[in-house]
Amino acid sequence: MIDAAIELLAMPKPSWQDDAATRRELDRLKDDVHRYKVAEGYDASQAAKVAAAVNERAERIRRFLTGKRCGGDTHHFWGRK
């Protein structure tokens, strides 16, 4: 479950000039994984909630890296649905 997020963290980070948004998301993912590891030692239900957030962020980053950027412009372009 968390292993996929840890794999994403193991990849080399892009430079700030190349893709700052991905780099920021990877930094946030690193913080979320740390939160999960702390919560895992104290409260199983809280760890499950944090794990769900980690998995959601990891999936969003994975889609982002494969070119499926999920901006609002893909859904509503100048008022079109």
Side-chain angles (χ1 to χ4, degrees), residues 6-79:
I6 293 172
E7 283 180 23
L8 278 173
L9 291 174
M11 67 176 233
K13 291 184 180 180
S15 68
W16 285 107
Q17 294 83 10
D18 291 340
D19 202 348
T22 303
R23 189 174 177 97
R24 280 192 306 269
E25 285 296 312
L26 287 171
D27 287 339
R28 290 178 184 142
L29 181 64
K30 179 181 169 187
D31 293 341
D32 288 347
V33 168
H34 177 72
R35 280 184 34 228
Y36 169 76
K37 289 180 180 180
V38 170
E40 186 179 37
Y42 291 104
D43 186 11
S45 64
Q46 182 65 25
K49 291 177 186 176
V50 174
V54 168
N55 288 332
E56 182 181 329
R57 186 179 301 274
E59 182 60 31
R60 190 170 53 241
I61 292 170
R62 201 172 298 111
R63 283 193 314 259
F64 196 77
L65 291 174
T66 58
K68 297 176 185 170
R69 301 189 179 232
C70 51
D73 59 337
T74 60
H75 301 292
H76 302 287
F77 183 74
W78 294 97

